[in-house]
Amino acid sequence: MRRLTATAATLAALGLSVGPAASAVPSPAGPSTYATRPGSSPTHRAAVVPAKDVAVVVLDTLTPAVVGPGKDVTITGTVTAPLTGPLSGPEVRVVRGDVAVNQRSALDDWATGRTETSGRTVDTTSLATVAAGQTQPFTATVPWERLRSDDAFAALPISVEVVQEGASEPTGMTRTFIAWNGRKEYVPLKVATVLPVTLPPTVALAARDDAARLAAWEQAIGPDSRVARILEGTRGTPVDLAVDPSVLGPDLGAGSGTTGPTPSGTSTPGGTGTTAPAPSGTSGTPAPSASGATGTTGTPAPAAGTSAPAPDGTTQTPSTPPTTSTPPPAGTPSEATLAIARLGDDVVTQLSGRSVWALPYADADVAATVGVDPVNSLVRDLVSRASTLAGRLGQPARADIVWPVDGLLPAGREQGIKTLLSGTTVRKPAGIVVNAAAVTKETAYTPTARRVTASGTRLLAYNTRLSALLPKRTDPSPVLSVQRYLAETLVLLGERAGTPRSVLVTAPRTYDPDAADLATFLAATSSAPWLETVDAASLLTDSGNDKAVPQTRPTTAVASAAPKPVLNARRLARMADQRDTLLSVSSVLRDGEEFERTYREVLDGLASARWRWNPAGWVTLANSVDADIKAATSAIRVVPRTSTINLLAENGTLRITVENGLDYTVENIRLRLVPDNPRIRIVEQPDPVTIGPSSRTNVPVEVAAVAAGRAEIRAFLTTADGTQIGSPATIPVSANPLDAAIYWVGGILVGLVLLAGVIRAVVKGTSRVDEIADIEAVTAAHEALGDADDRDHD
């Protein structure tokens, strides 16, 4: 049997199934014989890859999944001969292992081949010779009597082996389990399943080029996308879907020309947009352009082959150079935007009537935010905008269940989540989804999924072993996942068969199943008698004797369910500032909501948890957003003066030029002037002004010169509430108030003349009149002489 163990190890090393471990991801294998549901997507499965010196055994079906009295088991699959030679007269044997599988360690040992003993053969099927590297199908039927167990329920270890003619050791094998249910002697486990529906970390979702953007959205939410496979695979099942509202794409509403249904409700300002996001550095239809931009692409992007600085100081080389194109009229959705909206409408239709949770808009990285900036305004806004999902779907969608992407609950996170939500419309968390291992010290007994923190916050603790068994698109078939899942739940049930407990199963944000395989898995597992499917939200309250268990500190460190975050305090603060800038600019634009949506959709996406799986893409997009926001804000500006304005009067009028380089009309913007010294006084700040697209205007400003000399006036623009926007300028002024100078000079001259007369009188001495001793006698004599003269003449 040691050769058998080596063969199993070889298969495992080749990525081929010898039974999946809890964390293993089987590699692609041959086509499945499972039939797809009408209208479902076809099964995508790669061909079997032959091994060098061992046979590859792939199971296609095992029916029924649960065996009981009177139920024979039929197993179908394929055998692929090794590349080194044919399988001569091979025989397929179904062997029942002779070990008890009643603990998780026993499950792992059997599935990985560490259990050396095999057991007894319960069925044999002969095959014709299989040529080297070729594949042959087989069918084996095992009578239920050969599988019978005296236990009420049990996980039976099974090995499907291929043996060469005349050989005693198998050439290839795969191991799995058969679920036995003889009688009901247990309290069923309540099982809830939640799957995330989110966007991939693809930069092209925000591409400026219509064709590239549409192609990216088709891959993200189109008919053959990961999102479509999740929705199709869960159709008609009680699975809960945690949906990122941005998955639905732009909501164009009635009259948009989309063929999908008109969603109920309306989107909030800043929600999904009417035009595509347009970051610099991607090509095609431009964002609203700024004056001075190159071509018609808006803000000049980094040239190809050059590196642009990211907001955090790093650099990233753009993958493609920007190109130019003629923008559509403002407010008119492009054909690509209309097509993306129709894809979103299709997703809305598929979500109709489902049990839906609303993730924060763009699946904002709550786990990263609460650790460094729990009051961040941007992320708070994204949490509040989770409510847009209910409006778009026209049905309820819970937004108060928080699902940190890493599944952890370190010290301080609970309070951080409460702080974050307190500034949102959600207010407080109804529950937090968390890895059960992160809130449980190691124990042989698995507690219920219903948990509670010391402060009373409810926790939904998911089981990592069961969650890892959800079928993936890379699996050879869902058989191994189904049978391992059933075996795991039987072992879990056997820990305390009479105790009511609940189990939560979740998938990572990157979960990518095959639709048909997922449907098969859910149908098989939900029909198990010992499993009762429930709504995940029901775990937020106690049910009978299934009461919440207090969280405990884990014995060992628990690994994160996601890569490390790309968001840090510096990046979050910068993004919040950029958001405030966009809101300020949009508040003075006639088409402000459209402008805000155009830029903000990309900014919102940067807060997403999805970039943990593509940090380089985050940097590329952040560079573009940074450049675009700078261009948008600098496009509204006070035109600086290169020469000094001479003010030659005590009062005068300055004419300040304000420019609008955007393709939007600016309304009710305020120009404000502040001198740097008291020589100049602003008599009255100017009234609000309106400026048309790509134009400028002169704004008159009344000023007064208090004293002669130079001064600089800082001129800037504000919104109605006083928030500064756009680019300011400094206006140099030289004050020379001539009117006042004339008055002063004239007054001084008059004073000088009067002073000169006084001085002259003092300097020249006494008057001759003052020297006559008897002025009165002289006067009388003069008068007498005058009278005598008059008589002589008579």
Side-chain angles (χ1 to χ4, degrees):
M1 295 307 297
R2 294 191 181 277
R3 262 184 59 191
L4 177 62
T5 303
T7 302
T10 302
L11 288 171
L14 293 169
L16 300 169
S17 296
V18 295
S23 60
V25 179
S27 64
S32 172
T33 58
Y34 283 115
T36 59
R37 295 179 298 183
S40 65
S41 301
T43 300
H44 297 271
R45 200 167 289 133
V48 176
V49 179
K52 180 180 180 181
D53 55 3
V54 295
V56 178
V57 179
V58 175
L59 304 185
D60 287 337
T61 65
L62 192 156
T63 54
V66 179
V67 180
K71 298 179 180 179
D72 295 343
V73 176
T74 300
I75 302 173
T76 67
T78 59
V79 173
T80 301
L83 294 172
T84 53
L87 293 174
S88 302
E91 187 176 75
V92 175
R93 300 174 182 173
V94 179
V95 178
R96 175 179 172 177
D98 57 5
V99 295
V101 180
N102 50 18
Q103 293 182 346
R104 288 189 289 267
S105 59
L107 281 168
D108 294 340
D109 290 343
W110 178 263
T112 58
R114 289 196 297 267
T115 304
E116 295 188 2
T117 182
S118 181
R120 57 188 178 87
T121 300
V122 294
D123 183 75
T124 301
T125 302
S126 298
L127 299 178
T129 298
V130 183
Q134 299 302 304
T135 299
Q136 176 97 8
F138 70 87
T139 299
T141 300
V142 183
W144 72 271
E145 295 89 350
R146 299 181 183 178
L147 301 171
R148 180 172 182 170
S149 173
D150 293 333
D151 296 326
F153 56 89
L156 308 178
I158 295 294
S159 177
V160 180
E161 307 171 354
V162 58
V163 183
Q164 287 265 37
E165 185 178 17
S168 59
E169 297 291 340
T171 304
M173 61 176 291
T174 188
R175 287 182 167 187
T176 186
F177 304 90
I178 289 180
W180 169 264
N181 183 61
R183 56 191 181 275
K184 183 177 180 180
E185 294 182 359
Y186 47 77
V187 175
L189 295 169
K190 289 181 170 60
V191 180
T193 303
V194 184
L195 302 182
V197 179
T198 59
L199 291 172
T202 304
V203 175
L205 290 172
R208 217 174 248 157
D209 178 74
D210 281 351
R213 188 173 73 257
L214 177 57
W217 277 95
E218 286 176 339
Q219 291 177 3
I221 64 172
D224 193 34
S225 65
R226 181 175 62 88
V227 166
R229 290 192 290 274
I230 292 174
L231 296 179
E232 171 60 24
T234 57
R235 182 161 56 90
T237 70
V239 169
D240 296 282
L241 300 174
V243 181
D244 167 11
S246 69
V247 163
L248 305 182
D251 180 9
L252 304 186
S256 64
T258 59
T259 58
T262 301
S264 302
T266 57
S267 60
T268 59
T272 49
T274 58
T275 57
S280 298
T282 52
S283 59
T285 304
S289 61
S291 295
T294 303
T296 59
T297 58
T299 308
T306 62
S307 296
D312 62 346
T314 60
T315 59
Q316 177 71 20
T317 302
S319 57
T320 57
T323 61
T324 61
S325 65
T326 302
T332 303
S334 66
E335 288 300 323
T337 301
L338 292 172
I340 294 169
R342 287 191 288 270
L343 292 174
D345 290 340
D346 291 341
V347 176
V348 169
T349 300
Q350 294 179 69
L351 288 171
S352 178
R354 303 283 192 97
S355 177
V356 175
W357 295 357
L359 294 171
Y361 195 87
D363 191 20
D365 197 338
V366 172
T369 303
V370 298
V372 295
D373 189 7
V375 296
N376 184 270
S377 59
L378 172 64
V379 177
R380 278 183 164 177
D381 179 65
L382 296 177
V383 171
S384 293
R385 287 169 58 205
S387 61
T388 61
L389 180 65
R392 185 81 183 268
L393 298 180
Q395 67 182 50
R398 295 201 65 148
D400 57 355
I401 302 176
V402 182
W403 188 354
V405 68
D406 58 8
L408 304 179
L409 195 67
R413 175 168 292 183
E414 178 191 0
Q415 183 56 48
I417 290 174
K418 290 180 178 180
T419 300
L420 178 70
L421 267 59
S422 66
T424 72
T425 57
V426 177
R427 299 301 179 191
K428 61 180 181 179
I432 303 174
V433 179
V434 62
N435 181 345
V439 292
T440 311
K441 66 179 180 181
E442 190 172 348
T443 175
Y445 166 65
T446 305
T448 181
R450 291 178 163 94
R451 304 292 180 86
V452 64
T453 67
S455 62
T457 302
R458 296 295 295 235
L459 302 176
L460 302 180
Y462 63 84
N463 187 294
T464 54
R465 290 176 68 91
L466 293 178
S467 298
L469 293 171
L470 288 168
K472 306 170 187 64
R473 205 178 188 202
T474 53
D475 292 348
S477 80
V479 171
L480 299 181
S481 296
V482 169
Q483 301 307 131
R484 178 66 181 269
Y485 184 96
L486 294 174
E488 290 276 0
T489 57
L490 286 170
V491 171
L492 180 62
L493 179 70
E495 291 175 351
R496 291 190 180 180
T499 301
R501 282 179 295 165
S502 52
V503 180
L504 178 63
V505 177
T506 65
R509 298 298 205 273
T510 55
Y511 181 55
D512 187 9
D514 176 83
D517 287 355
L518 178 58
T520 298
F521 177 92
L522 294 173
T525 56
S526 62
S527 63
W530 61 92
L531 301 178
E532 178 185 346
T533 303
V534 298
D535 180 78
S538 68
L539 304 181
L540 293 172
T541 56
D542 294 339
S543 175
N545 292 328
D546 187 6
K547 300 182 182 300
V549 175
Q551 75 170 97
T552 54
R553 186 184 300 274
T555 306
T556 57
V558 179
S560 170
K564 66 180 182 179
V566 298
L567 299 181
N568 52 38
R570 182 176 62 257
R571 288 176 170 180
L572 283 167
R574 184 176 185 84
M575 290 161 60
D577 290 342
Q578 290 172 331
R579 169 185 174 273
D580 293 341
T581 300
L582 288 179
L583 292 176
S584 298
V585 174
S586 64
S587 69
V588 299
L589 300 182
R590 182 170 295 171
D591 299 315
E593 289 187 7
E594 177 197 342
F595 171 87
E596 180 189 344
R597 286 191 294 262
T598 298
Y599 286 102
R600 187 172 168 188
E601 194 71 18
V602 187
L603 179 60
D604 292 342
L606 285 174
S608 177
R610 65 179 178 262
W611 298 110
R612 289 179 180 240
W613 285 271
N614 183 10
W618 188 96
V619 173
T620 298
L621 200 57
N623 287 338
S624 300
V625 171
D626 191 51
D628 279 344
I629 291 179
K630 286 181 180 177
T633 54
S634 62
I636 306 173
R637 65 181 187 133
V638 179
V639 178
R641 296 272 306 192
T642 57
S643 59
T644 301
I645 298 176
N646 292 312
L647 186 62
L648 302 178
E650 191 175 53
N651 293 282
T653 300
L654 303 182
R655 296 194 174 275
I656 309 300
T657 302
V658 179
E659 182 180 65
N660 171 25
L662 297 175
D663 294 332
Y664 299 84
T665 297
V666 173
E667 292 184 320
N668 297 321
I669 195 171
R670 273 75 169 167
L671 173 64
R672 294 293 177 259
L673 294 97
V674 178
D676 69 342
N677 66 60
R679 292 189 182 95
I680 299 294
R681 180 173 60 87
I682 307 300
V683 176
E684 185 178 4
Q685 297 287 357
D687 293 332
V689 296
T690 296
I691 315 172
S694 301
S695 61
R696 58 174 58 187
T697 188
N698 291 323
V699 182
V701 182
E702 297 297 324
V703 299
V706 177
R710 294 183 61 85
E712 289 188 342
I713 300 176
R714 181 174 179 268
F716 57 92
L717 302 169
T718 74
T719 62
D721 62 2
T723 303
Q724 293 189 27
I725 63 171
S727 299
T730 299
I731 310 298
V733 177
S734 178
N736 298 288
L738 296 181
D739 293 346
I742 291 173
Y743 296 149
W744 279 101
V745 171
I748 292 171
L749 290 175
V750 172
L752 290 174
V753 170
L754 292 175
L755 180 63
V758 173
I759 294 173
R760 181 175 177 273
V762 173
V763 171
K764 289 187 175 181
T766 304
S767 172
R768 289 181 179 179
V769 174
D770 295 334
E771 294 177 351
I772 298 175
D774 191 352
I775 186 66
E776 294 180 354
V778 173
T779 301
H782 181 72
E783 290 178 350
L785 182 59
D787 292 340
D789 289 342
D790 290 339
R791 287 194 299 269
D792 291 341
H793 287 299
D794 292 340

